[in-house]
Amino acid sequence: QVQLQESGPGLVKPSETLSLACTVSGGSISSHYWSWVRQPPGKGLEWIGYVSYSGATNRNPSLKSRVTISVDTSKNQFSLNLSSVTAADTAVYYCARERCRAGDCYGFDYWGQGTLVTVSS
Amino acid sequence: EIVLTQSPGTLSLSPGEGATLSCRASQSVTYNYLAWYQQIPGQAPRLLIYGASSRATGISDRFNGSGSGTDFTLTISRLEPADFAVYYCQQYVSTPYTFGQGTNLEIK
């Protein structure tokens, strides 16, 4: 059974960089696409971006200039850095797997439990 | 960017009834790369439907997805207490991937 687990600080100061990692267990990160999704308190879901096992990335233009997503296949882990954070970046951050095979994709089938990151001084 | 609009915003029903949730896209979702998720408060979203109409592993056949192009529907038959949650549609055919704003299915 594939499991994803987010880790990182729960409190970040304004203007600093939010850094999270997602560790994948029960399966290899060397296939599929790996996404970050966030959800501000009481609001809907926003896709932040993805990384493939090869390191190719795609980011939401609304956050693109501030987002870096990377993968470390040796650790079966991928990471998110979001720079210059403000209170508007306060949210639950989820990592998720987008299952893809032979050019077809099948939605986000595994999710981490989510981690609340609060931006505050 | 493909904008997804879900309706209604809130749906109040009783256990045993059927529910119909709608998701309309601002442009065609090719390959029917449209998914539905269920989110219970305090939990991560759970994939219900992918490819507009294929049920994810372990999902009850009471959940059915249909539609193509710009209009998609999630129907839930014989509502059970565990079904009352927020439901999101998502398109994953073009980036940025986008979600609808959600439909809150609440107990009447």
Side-chain angles (χ1 to χ4, degrees):
Chain A
Q1 176 78 344
V2 175
Q3 292 185 313
L4 285 71
Q5 179 67 58
E6 303 90 351
S7 59
L11 181 63
V12 181
K13 290 182 168 55
S15 80
E16 296 190 342
T17 296
L18 178 161
S19 296
L20 296 174
C22 181
T23 301
V24 180
S25 58
S28 173
I29 202 169
S30 296
S31 59
H32 310 296
Y33 287 79
W34 305 90
S35 276
W36 289 97
V37 176
R38 71 180 183 177
Q39 185 171 38
K43 296 190 177 180
L45 301 165
E46 179 183 29
W47 178 75
I48 298 170
Y50 70 58
V51 63
S52 74
Y53 67 94
S54 65
T57 61
N58 199 307
R59 298 162 290 171
N60 194 321
S62 67
L63 299 167
K64 189 172 185 176
S65 62
R66 299 195 291 132
V67 168
T68 304
I69 302 175
S70 60
V71 65
D72 186 338
T73 54
S74 68
K75 295 182 179 179
N76 232 34
Q77 192 175 78
F78 63 107
S79 300
L80 168 70
N81 281 349
L82 179 65
S83 64
S84 305
V85 297
T86 69
D89 295 309
T90 294
V92 175
Y93 286 77
Y94 295 100
C95 56
R97 185 184 88 165
E98 179 183 8
R99 184 169 71 95
C100 296
R101 290 280 190 214
D104 281 331
C105 293
Y106 307 96
F108 290 15
D109 61 344
Y110 288 101
W111 294 67
Q113 66 186 24
T115 186
L116 174 62
V117 179
T118 301
V119 178
S120 174
S121 56
Chain B
E1 172 175 327
I2 298 178
V3 176
L4 299 178
T5 302
Q6 292 185 241
S7 60
T10 300
L11 187 56
S12 300
L13 294 168
S14 300
E17 293 189 297
T20 300
L21 287 66
S22 175
C23 177
R24 178 162 290 179
S26 61
Q27 56 189 278
S28 183
V29 178
T30 50
Y31 312 119
N32 281 346
Y33 273 12
L34 192 287
W36 289 92
Y37 300 86
Q38 176 194 66
Q39 188 177 34
I40 294 167
Q43 296 186 17
R46 178 174 70 141
L47 178 66
L48 300 174
I49 301 287
Y50 64 89
S53 60
S54 297
R55 275 186 295 274
T57 303
I59 300 303
S60 166
D61 59 6
R62 296 185 301 103
F63 292 87
N64 286 284
S66 63
S68 63
T70 60
D71 288 299
F72 300 89
T73 301
L74 175 69
T75 56
I76 313 170
S77 60
R78 305 182 305 281
L79 284 167
E80 298 180 356
D83 298 336
F84 292 91
V86 179
Y87 291 82
Y88 294 96
C89 58
Q90 178 213 23
Q91 66 80 20
Y92 53 97
V93 67
S94 67
T95 57
Y97 295 161
T98 50
F99 293 88
Q101 81 279 20
T103 289
N104 180 26
L105 177 57
E106 64 175 25
I107 297 178
K108 188 174 182 178

